[in-house]
Amino acid sequence: MTISPAGQPPGDWDGPEPHEPSDAELLGAWPDPFAGPPDGADAWLADLSVPELERLAERWAAENGAGIDVIGAGFTHATSGDAAGAVGFAAGGALDVMAPDPVLAGFASDAFESGLAGLSDDELVGVLCAARRLSSWQAWMEFSAVAELDNRRRVARGIGSSRTAEHVNDELAAALTLTGRSAEALLVASRDLSRLPSVLAALKAGVIDRAKAGVFAAELAGLPDRHAQVIAAALWRPAAKMTTGQLRAELKALALMVDPEAARRRRERARDEARVEAWQEGSGNSGLAGRELPTSEAIIADKRITAIARELKSAGAAGTIDQLRAAVFTALLTGRDPATLLPGPAPDTGSDTGSGSGASARARAGGWPASITGAVNLTMPLRTWNGWSQAPGEIAGLGPIDADACRDLADRLAASPRARWCLTLIDDDGNAAGHACARSGPGSAPGKDPPKPRSSGPLPPSLATWLRSLSVEWLERGTCTHRRQVDGYRPSAALGHLIKIRQRTCTSPGCRQPAAGCDLDHTVPYEQGGVTCECNLGPLCRKHHQCKQAPGWHLTQTSPGSFTWTAPHGRAYEVRPRSYSS
């Protein structure tokens, strides 16, 4: 379990808020609201697409009795496939950063009509990104139109002249050929987004896509308008560089910080909907899941299934860990001994034709783990553990959890003699700055109880004593001093632990695989002179470890913990450690 001394919400995000143009701006003196006032007499020509320029040139030539070959100043444009990338979609080009509007749509259409084969990899990715921004702009139009229709029906109902407000979803289903459930989902999303103007503006500007807008709507639905708008305003810009999974985790964490009581009420209400669901998979098989379960119990059950599956695997059972987990799950629920999954005679025969290992003997004797077994990586602020704060914690691979659930799980972990306790000190940006490990947690020594929630006052003596007993290792920052470098290929256990504390997940862009389950990769391969040190190590899941080694990919570590990935199409993507305070 990792505990950190912070847990404060991130500071204000810099930069301007998204701007919704007023009617006066849209209907002003200039006929094209997307172009704005020109810089010069011919500046408006720069906003025209290639076919538009050609048609204009032909018309000018016809009107002036001149051949089209004499058209020169003011009509210069690049044709598709220009090696210089003047088509504008290359990284950093005008079209690569242009907000979605009819002008960008025209240039994108030109690129498709001229043939994508004529574009470089870089330009092709630029066109792809432009298409995604245009789809965001179209999604904004759809949500806005749904909201306007919904508002009209509400107004009509308010004056007593219509009951159609009760059937807006039916109108949408008929107009868009949707199922009733899909139409209802569209209407709910539109209503949820209508109270988040910054999210709608970001969607219109192509900063986020439709899927991310949906995450904003769903995760903030249970909060009061004011709290939801504050969180949306803080995250709409950073969301541009997040996956939907990363964004959902950030929204959950901020919602728990801003309104922990609302989160607690929501969790308790949902507990009334606890259930087990069964359904048919598309393959013809079936699925079974428990929903709205207590967090600590669900985690313990999951870890116990994994532990039994690993025992069976080591004893010779066939199948992957995932396949064995599924088999153990159904065996326990149907009353069968998981030992029946082992090869050879049934357990009650006393014969052991399996591997003959200790695991096999324990399995056939029914010695399955009865408590938490394996790795449960809980990270929580020290103030939350001590009861001074309601700041949320996080379970690796699961996401943010509220303070009460943190303390409940921490109490269960403290009861295990094999629990490992760590303290991570963070800087002002929420990044790991120092780390210490201990054999037991604060107040978790034999015969002592974990800290009880407190609202104020000095540190409990047991906690103060525990903190003083720790020896903090400070992580490398900026220029590495190599003080923990080892000579061989394999890092020491202490060095590997520090790397995975610094980098909580795989270092590939967007990957949320917990570092605990990742390989420790040498950024510069060891056989090519790379050192085994904080400045040259980082966690990579197996998939992205293989990706790094594929032709065209390149990874550098510019400073300890800061990575730059370059993809085969030539664009670079920076990855920094994920903040502990988010």
Side-chain angles (χ1 to χ4, degrees):
M1 176 170 18
T2 301
I3 54 181
S4 62
Q8 305 302 318
D12 294 336
W13 298 102
D14 57 1
E17 294 297 315
H19 173 63
E20 281 283 354
S22 66
D23 291 343
E25 291 173 306
L26 291 178
L27 302 176
W30 299 102
D32 184 356
F34 301 96
D39 295 327
D42 294 327
W44 61 277
L45 294 169
D47 288 330
L48 298 181
S49 62
V50 171
E52 289 172 327
L53 285 168
E54 292 172 344
R55 288 193 294 271
L56 186 59
E58 292 171 356
R59 189 176 69 185
W60 187 92
E63 291 174 351
N64 291 273
I68 194 169
D69 57 331
V70 305
I71 304 301
F75 291 90
T76 301
H77 61 273
T79 57
S80 178
D82 187 343
V87 72
F89 285 109
L95 301 179
D96 186 49
V97 298
M98 181 181 286
D101 60 15
V103 174
L104 180 62
F107 278 108
S109 177
D110 292 345
F112 279 93
E113 290 177 3
S114 299
L116 298 179
L119 300 177
S120 67
D121 285 0
D122 188 8
E123 291 168 344
L124 181 61
V125 171
V127 170
L128 175 63
C129 293
R132 174 55 62 97
R133 296 198 303 279
L134 288 167
S135 70
S136 299
W137 180 52
Q138 292 173 324
W140 165 78
M141 288 192 286
E142 182 177 345
F143 284 128
S144 299
V146 170
E148 175 63 20
L149 180 64
D150 187 32
N151 186 59
R152 292 183 184 186
R153 298 298 176 259
R154 289 175 184 237
V155 170
R157 182 178 183 181
I159 61 176
S161 62
S162 175
R163 294 180 59 193
T164 54
E166 301 173 6
H167 301 284
V168 178
N169 57 338
D170 295 319
E171 281 193 85
L172 295 174
L176 302 177
T177 318
L178 298 175
T179 64
R181 180 172 296 179
S182 295
E184 180 66 20
L186 175 60
L187 179 60
V188 169
S190 176
R191 287 173 175 172
D192 288 339
L193 288 171
S194 65
R195 70 188 189 122
L196 303 173
S198 61
V199 174
L200 282 175
L203 185 65
K204 178 183 178 182
V207 175
I208 63 173
D209 59 18
R210 186 185 191 120
K212 292 178 183 177
V215 173
F216 271 105
E219 293 300 329
L220 301 180
L223 295 178
D225 288 357
R226 182 170 61 87
H227 290 162
Q229 290 164 6
V230 167
I231 293 174
L235 282 182
W236 71 265
R237 188 182 294 277
K241 295 184 178 181
M242 297 180 188
T243 65
T244 52
Q246 290 171 326
L247 176 60
R248 181 173 287 108
E250 295 287 343
L251 287 168
K252 283 182 180 295
L254 277 180
L256 288 169
M257 287 180 181
V258 170
D259 199 343
E261 285 303 307
R264 181 185 58 79
R265 291 192 299 270
R266 181 181 180 183
R267 174 167 53 86
E268 291 177 351
R269 285 196 302 268
R271 191 72 54 79
D272 294 336
E273 300 178 9
R275 62 200 182 277
V276 173
E277 293 182 353
W279 65 92
Q280 188 175 39
E281 303 279 14
S283 63
N285 296 311
S286 296
L288 181 68
R291 304 297 301 275
E292 302 296 350
L293 307 177
T295 299
S296 58
E297 292 185 9
I299 291 170
I300 292 170
D302 177 69
K303 295 301 179 182
R304 182 168 186 255
I305 289 172
T306 299
I308 296 174
R310 292 192 184 281
E311 292 268 7
L312 293 172
K313 183 72 173 176
S314 66
T320 66
I321 288 296
D322 281 341
Q323 290 169 341
L324 288 172
R325 273 172 46 86
V328 169
F329 178 65
T330 54
L332 292 174
L333 291 176
T334 54
R336 291 183 289 116
D337 186 342
T340 59
L341 300 172
L342 289 167
D348 58 359
T349 65
S351 174
D352 187 353
T353 59
S355 66
S357 66
S360 176
R362 288 195 303 275
R364 292 187 182 281
W368 307 117
S371 60
I372 299 179
T373 302
V376 180
N377 294 306
L378 169 65
T379 300
M380 62 187 298
L382 180 59
R383 293 176 63 84
T384 298
W385 164 255
N386 196 47
W388 287 352
S389 170
Q390 287 295 100
E394 180 179 311
I395 298 172
L398 184 63
I401 61 172
D402 63 85
D404 291 337
C406 274
R407 286 187 283 263
D408 180 29
L409 182 57
D411 288 349
R412 292 173 182 257
L413 292 173
S416 172
R418 292 187 294 176
R420 180 178 187 176
W421 292 81
C422 300
L423 175 74
T424 301
L425 303 176
I426 62 176
D427 60 21
D428 292 340
D429 295 324
N431 296 319
H435 186 74
C437 295
R439 293 184 178 275
S440 61
S444 61
K448 294 185 178 180
D449 295 325
K452 299 302 180 184
R454 301 159 57 93
S455 59
S456 62
L459 287 175
S462 60
L463 179 56
T465 300
W466 182 75
L467 290 172
R468 286 194 296 268
S469 71
L470 300 177
S471 177
V472 175
E473 291 281 345
W474 298 101
L475 279 74
E476 294 282 6
R477 307 291 291 272
T479 302
C480 187
T481 64
H482 309 294
R483 65 181 182 275
R484 280 183 284 266
Q485 179 178 335
V486 299
D487 293 333
Y489 170 79
R490 190 175 299 278
S492 64
L495 176 58
H497 183 56
L498 284 176
I499 295 296
K500 293 183 177 183
I501 290 296
R502 180 192 72 191
Q503 225 92 24
R504 301 161 65 193
T505 62
C506 170
T507 59
S508 179
C511 185
R512 298 183 66 227
Q513 177 69 32
C518 291
D519 301 331
L520 274 179
D521 168 68
H522 285 74
T523 308
V524 177
Y526 181 77
E527 61 273 16
Q528 296 178 18
V531 296
T532 305
C533 185
E534 283 173 68
C535 59
N536 194 50
L537 290 172
L540 283 179
C541 68
R542 186 55 54 87
K543 176 179 182 295
H544 289 117
H545 200 162
Q546 295 170 345
C547 176
K548 175 209 169 186
Q549 298 168 344
W553 287 90
H554 185 63
L555 176 63
T556 59
Q557 190 168 173
T558 54
S559 62
S562 297
F563 294 81
T564 300
W565 288 77
T566 303
H569 56 254
R571 299 193 179 204
Y573 305 92
E574 294 185 359
V575 178
R576 297 184 181 277
R578 184 164 149 252
S579 168
Y580 273 84
S581 60
S582 63

